[in-house]
Amino acid sequence: MVYLGTSVLGIWPLIECWLRTVPPSIKVYNDALEKLFKTFLIPGLSFVRSNLTEIVGTMDTGLIFSLTKIIDCFISPLKLKVGGSKL
């Protein structure tokens, strides 16, 4: 197994992987979510790196992972239940 970091691959594989895991009721908004990520994520990361002082240093991948987990918290109530089990 070969590990390739974000310096080689970039951050988009992380976002694309997360978009594949959203619930079916949200998948219709994948294009809009991808557009929002493309519009705000890179400028947001650039802003954090150039204008803020972090008490504890972070990596871009960690910030993206945290962002997707926060979004997961908001969309988790939208997961439909079919036959008593979650989709």
Side-chain angles (χ1 to χ4, degrees):
M1 177 184 240
V2 176
Y3 173 77
L4 297 173
T6 55
S7 61
V8 176
L9 296 174
I11 59 172
W12 294 112
L14 296 171
I15 295 165
E16 291 170 357
C17 180
W18 178 78
L19 284 172
R20 287 193 298 265
T21 66
V22 298
S25 58
I26 303 296
K27 286 216 185 273
V28 295
Y29 301 106
N30 270 7
D31 291 336
L33 287 169
E34 188 173 342
K35 184 177 179 181
L36 287 170
F37 277 121
K38 286 181 180 178
T39 303
F40 295 109
L41 187 61
I42 298 298
L45 289 173
S46 296
F47 179 82
V48 167
R49 298 292 174 227
S50 61
N51 297 317
L52 302 178
T53 303
E54 296 178 305
I55 296 171
V56 177
T58 59
M59 297 178 64
D60 289 348
T61 54
L63 293 175
I64 294 167
F65 185 73
S66 296
L67 173 65
T68 57
K69 291 300 172 191
I70 290 169
I71 296 171
D72 280 339
C73 290
F74 286 109
I75 64 174
S76 64
L78 301 175
K79 293 181 180 179
L80 301 176
K81 292 186 178 183
V82 177
S85 64
K86 288 185 178 181
L87 288 176

